[in-house]
Amino acid sequence: MSEHVDVLTMAREQLAIAARYLDLDEGLHSVLAHPMRKLVVNFPVVLDNGAVQVFEGYRVQHNSSRGPTKGGIRYHPSVDVDETTALAMWMTWKCAVVGLPYGGAKGGVKIDTKLYSRREIEKLTRRFVTEINMVLGEWRDIPAPDIGTNAQVMAWIMDTFSMQAGYTVNGVVTGKPVDLGGSKGRVEATGRGVTVMAQQAAKTIGMDLSKSKVIVQGFGNVGSVAARLCEEHGATVVGLSDAIGGIYNENGLPVSELVHRYSGREGGIREYKDAQQVSNKELLEMPCDVLIPAAISGQVTKENADKVKAKLIVEGANGPCTPDADRIFADKGTLVVPDILANAGGVIVSYFEWVQGLQSFFWEENEVNDKLERIMTTAFQEVEATMRAHKTDMRNAALIIGVKRVADATVKRGIFP
Ligand code: NAD
């Protein structure tokens, strides 16, 4: 998008709206509007060609009133401390909305991973974790994957932290490979949760996901799984995209085949010829019933919200719709299932992974998926009831629940000393 979206301003604006509904005390509002800890590190890595490059990385912990902090680590060129702070704040509300005993955190390194070898990414990860390890820990702050990181990166994080502790610390990170203490179902969890939310939300507006046309922006972990599961539920996936661009076919795209052939291959999806080639911007405006933005933030703004044809938007990504876009959707009657509810499946199964690791007792995948679905469905019902009670939109309803739970915990604990 041409418009620059400042996600920290966006997150604070969302908090301010919820604070007005909750009649939140000014001091308490101020506590919640600021992260409790921001760590910025600059660290060198020796590249494969012998040159030394300095990288900037961040770990921001927003609020730990309800438990240790939790949140992903992102490797992307546009990562900065403000974006990381906004994402940490959203994690706090997300964990509270779905009732997990965590606060929110987020981390990242400013890097275009495409330009570096696997060995360089491993060295960067190990050095980054060493720089931030004093704020991490299984009872302190627990990272997970996000854009540009995956189970292998989580394995390196676990190993680096463990080497420094002198013993294996399984619970310091989630999203690990299953044979290293990861949970079955974690890779698919966010996309699965998005699909469950799409089913629930469709019902509330008299639609049936299995008879709907769906567009998914982003073909990474979240987008490709959500698209595949929507297709499994009978929906027709008519549009897909990755960072390079998108494809659209009103008769439907063969998602499983496309996942098999192109997932994880940037730009690959455009090699599929039996579809119209569209830009990412155009894709959002193509005809469909359900839109799942599952790439990056700031994709639907005041510039394009009125051109979006979907009646239901389910936010797989964090922050894809701006507050201006929310207002346009509220006027148009488009239902938006907000990120802090819609994409909570990842952190829910990360929580399961943490619990399983602490007990060294691991569950079967159907148990993981059943529990995930139950938690998300309950949270959806609570958010929907709050939306109706307060006559507000679903984002604000989710924030009202999340912010209130964190505010209550803060008040009950009291302000130290
Ligand atoms: P990923 O790196 O696996 O995939 C990102 C996808 O988005 C890729 O297909 C990439 O090509 C595409 N993309 C990047 N820039 C784009 C652009 N400008 N336009 C269109 N597509 C673009 O990342 P992911 O883990 O799938 O995360 C996607 C979003 O979901 C992020 O906002 C992330 O914070 C959020 N999220 C992820 C998880 C998780 O468990 N992975 C959990 C909650 C939220």
Side-chain angles (χ1 to χ4, degrees):
M1 302 300 306
S2 54
E3 183 192 6
H4 171 71
V5 176
D6 171 356
V7 285
L8 183 53
T9 303
M10 197 168 132
R12 290 200 168 129
E13 194 178 322
Q14 293 168 352
L15 170 63
I17 297 170
R20 280 201 293 279
Y21 274 82
L22 289 167
D23 200 15
L24 212 61
D25 168 81
E26 207 178 304
L28 194 50
H29 182 177
S30 177
V31 170
L32 301 182
H34 293 89
M36 66 178 206
R37 187 175 285 136
K38 290 198 262 193
L39 180 58
V40 180
V41 296
N42 289 286
F43 58 94
V45 177
V46 181
L47 304 180
D48 292 346
N49 65 5
V52 173
Q53 186 173 345
V54 174
F55 293 87
E56 186 159 296
Y58 318 92
R59 187 70 185 169
V60 178
Q61 298 167 346
H62 173 251
N63 186 294
S64 62
S65 302
R66 290 170 43 85
T69 50
K70 183 98 192 70
I73 290 194
R74 179 175 289 197
Y75 288 173
H76 194 270
S78 71
V79 168
D80 63 26
V81 72
D82 280 355
E83 181 191 79
T84 310
T85 303
L87 290 163
M89 192 186 288
W90 284 329
M91 280 305 294
T92 301
W93 317 140
K94 189 181 300 181
C95 292
V97 170
V98 293
L100 303 182
Y102 290 136
K106 204 79 182 190
V109 177
K110 204 185 255 305
I111 179 177
D112 184 350
T113 53
K114 287 194 296 296
L115 307 178
Y116 298 88
S117 70
R118 177 187 158 98
R119 175 78 191 122
E120 288 166 334
I121 299 292
E122 176 178 351
K123 282 161 76 177
L124 171 133
T125 300
R126 290 186 183 280
R127 180 64 189 246
F128 175 52
V129 171
T130 305
E131 297 293 338
I132 64 168
N133 75 357
M134 70 292 280
V135 299
L136 302 183
E138 57 189 341
W139 295 109
R140 194 172 283 183
D141 182 13
I142 306 136
D146 194 76
I147 296 178
T149 58
N150 55 22
Q152 176 60 72
V153 174
M154 299 306 114
W156 290 328
I157 292 176
M158 190 274 265
D159 184 68
T160 304
F161 193 88
S162 299
M163 286 296 117
Q164 288 157 356
Y167 63 102
T168 296
V169 188
N170 225 300
V172 70
V173 66
T174 59
K176 300 180 293 292
V178 171
D179 50 6
L180 273 183
S183 178
K184 289 180 178 159
R186 174 60 185 91
V187 171
E188 295 196 328
T190 309
R192 184 175 297 281
V194 166
T195 311
V196 172
M197 292 297 91
Q199 283 177 297
Q200 296 286 331
K203 265 192 253 165
T204 68
I205 54 170
M207 253 166 55
D208 178 350
L209 183 67
S210 69
K211 299 193 175 73
S212 302
K213 294 193 168 185
V214 179
I215 289 179
V216 182
Q217 184 197 40
F219 204 54
N221 174 282
V222 181
S224 65
V225 174
R228 186 170 57 69
L229 294 180
C230 282
E231 185 186 60
E232 265 177 32
H233 282 95
T236 307
V237 177
V238 291
L240 289 170
S241 72
D242 60 22
I244 310 296
I247 51 175
Y248 182 87
N249 184 333
E250 61 174 358
N251 299 317
L253 297 164
V255 181
S256 300
E257 186 195 328
L258 295 173
V259 169
H260 183 67
R261 273 174 40 196
Y262 305 123
S263 153
R265 263 187 58 206
E266 210 65 88
I269 205 168
R270 304 256 285 190
E271 287 170 25
Y272 181 72
K273 292 296 170 226
D274 194 11
Q276 183 185 343
Q277 304 242 331
V278 291
S279 68
N280 252 302
K281 184 173 174 296
E282 288 163 342
L283 184 82
L284 300 172
E285 300 166 12
M286 300 300 281
C288 68
D289 305 304
V290 183
L291 172 65
I292 301 179
I296 53 170
S297 61
Q299 295 299 291
V300 188
T301 67
K302 64 174 187 298
E303 310 296 330
N304 61 347
D306 60 343
K307 300 190 194 98
V308 170
K309 300 190 180 55
K311 295 183 272 303
L312 171 62
I313 298 175
V314 186
E315 293 186 326
N318 286 306
C321 302
T322 64
D324 286 332
D326 279 347
R327 284 184 274 275
I328 293 169
F329 290 135
D331 288 345
K332 286 208 301 184
T334 307
L335 180 63
V336 181
V337 186
D339 45 9
I340 60 168
L341 174 63
N343 69 32
V347 72
I348 292 170
V349 178
S350 272
Y351 165 65
F352 296 162
E353 177 175 332
W354 182 71
V355 168
Q356 293 171 76
L358 292 176
Q359 301 177 339
S360 291
F361 180 67
F362 291 88
W363 312 343
E364 287 311 318
E365 186 163 353
N366 59 355
E367 198 178 344
V368 170
N369 293 346
D370 288 350
K371 285 189 165 81
L372 164 66
E373 221 166 287
R374 214 168 328 129
I375 290 178
M376 292 209 65
T377 304
T378 304
F380 182 88
Q381 288 162 352
E382 288 173 352
V383 171
E384 203 203 351
T386 303
M387 178 172 92
R388 298 203 187 288
H390 286 273
K391 297 191 173 36
T392 185
D393 64 21
M394 199 169 253
R395 182 181 322 280
N396 195 34
L399 282 161
I400 288 171
I401 295 175
V403 172
K404 181 166 189 331
R405 286 179 181 163
V406 180
D408 286 351
T410 307
V411 169
K412 281 185 192 142
R413 284 181 64 154
I415 303 224
F416 181 83

